[in-house]
């Protein structure tokens, strides 16, 4: 086990964006499987592995790179130590990044489902306000701990583990008609 952790630490330092994209994709896909198995209670024959692959792709191509890049920007502009720094990071994260990222995430999911612009607009009007509201119930607390304790190279991993539940929620909300 220590060899695996050592290899992971080496890879995350050498390839931070790629590793964090890969782990975000894997954990978003797993979140979708949680939604299908535990929330929607689908049998194995009913599971939509294409949907899971789309969630993996969104995590790999969008969520992982976007969050890693964003955390790097926050670290560059605010630093990484101190309570004031953490408060500034959480405020920027929740009032600048989160609202925009949820729009991007919902749009990417909708496009992967084959929705047109009119349908995407409807999804955003119907789902966005409640998802953003629920975001504010969870993520500020997660980010306070994340930015205060966790080194930059591991912040996306922490967020993606918490996001297993969040991604199951997002998957369920965006696939209710399946």
């Amino acid at each position: 086990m220590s060899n695996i952790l050592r290899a992971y630490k080496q890879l995350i330092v050498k390839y931070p964006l790629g590793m964090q994209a890969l782990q975000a994709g894997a954990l978003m896909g797993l979140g979708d499987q949680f939604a299908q198995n535990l929330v929607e209670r689908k049998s194995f024959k009913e599971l939509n592995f294409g949907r899971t692959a789309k969630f993996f792709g969104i995590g790999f191509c969008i969520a992982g790179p976007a969050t890693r890049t964003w955390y790097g920007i926050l670290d560059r502009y605010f630093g990484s130590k101190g309570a004031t720094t953490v408060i500034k990071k959480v405020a920027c994260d929740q009032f600048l990044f989160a609202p925009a990222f949820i729009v991007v995430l919902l749009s990417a999911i909708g496009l992967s489902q084959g929705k047109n612009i009119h349908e995407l607009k409807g999804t955003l009007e119907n789902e966005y306000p409640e998802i953003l509201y629920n975001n504010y119930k969870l993520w500020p607390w997660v980010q306070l701990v994340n930015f205060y304790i966790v080194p930059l190279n591991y912040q996306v991993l922490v967020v993606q583990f918490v996001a297993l539940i969040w991604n199951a929620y997002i998957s369920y909300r965006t696939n209710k008609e399946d």
Side-chain angles (χ1 to χ4, degrees):
M1 185 66 155
S2 66
N3 288 339
I4 293 170
L5 288 174
R6 189 174 21 257
Y8 174 77
K9 286 179 181 181
Q10 289 172 345
L11 289 170
I12 200 77
V13 169
K14 190 170 182 178
Y15 306 106
L17 193 61
M19 285 297 295
Q20 291 170 354
L22 184 61
Q23 70 195 19
L27 292 169
M28 278 194 75
L30 187 58
D32 175 68
Q33 278 298 302
F34 281 177
Q36 291 189 54
N37 285 283
L38 304 175
V39 178
E40 299 166 34
R41 301 203 182 272
K42 291 183 175 184
S43 70
F44 184 79
K45 289 180 182 180
E46 296 173 309
L47 292 177
N48 183 341
F49 291 104
R51 178 176 130 183
T52 301
K54 290 173 186 175
F55 265 79
F56 172 87
I58 292 166
F60 181 79
C61 295
I62 299 171
T67 52
R68 172 58 175 98
T69 301
W70 175 244
Y71 296 164
I73 290 167
L74 290 176
D75 215 55
R76 190 171 335 120
Y77 283 98
F78 296 114
S80 59
K81 302 282 186 228
T84 304
T85 296
V86 170
I87 298 297
K88 289 176 185 176
K89 284 180 162 183
V90 172
C92 286
D93 186 64
Q94 292 303 300
F95 295 114
L96 299 176
F97 184 78
F101 184 73
I102 291 170
V103 169
V104 170
L105 183 62
L106 294 176
S107 297
I109 292 167
L111 290 171
S112 77
Q113 295 168 331
K115 291 183 179 178
N116 62 38
I117 296 299
H118 179 71
E119 292 167 322
L120 281 176
K121 184 179 176 193
T123 297
L124 289 171
E125 287 172 353
N126 293 329
E127 300 296 332
Y128 180 80
E130 189 171 346
I131 289 172
L132 182 63
Y133 176 73
N134 287 328
N135 167 85
Y136 290 137
K137 292 178 186 177
L138 172 67
W139 290 108
W141 308 108
V142 170
Q143 294 295 47
L144 278 169
V145 173
N146 195 28
F147 293 144
Y148 193 75
I149 296 173
V150 180
L152 178 62
N153 278 343
Y154 302 103
Q155 289 175 357
V156 173
L157 180 62
V158 168
V159 164
Q160 286 302 322
F161 268 112
V162 174
L164 281 170
I165 303 302
W166 181 253
N167 293 335
Y169 165 71
I170 295 293
S171 177
Y172 173 72
R173 289 295 301 249
T174 58
N175 288 284
K176 288 188 287 191
E177 60 272 351
D178 267 2

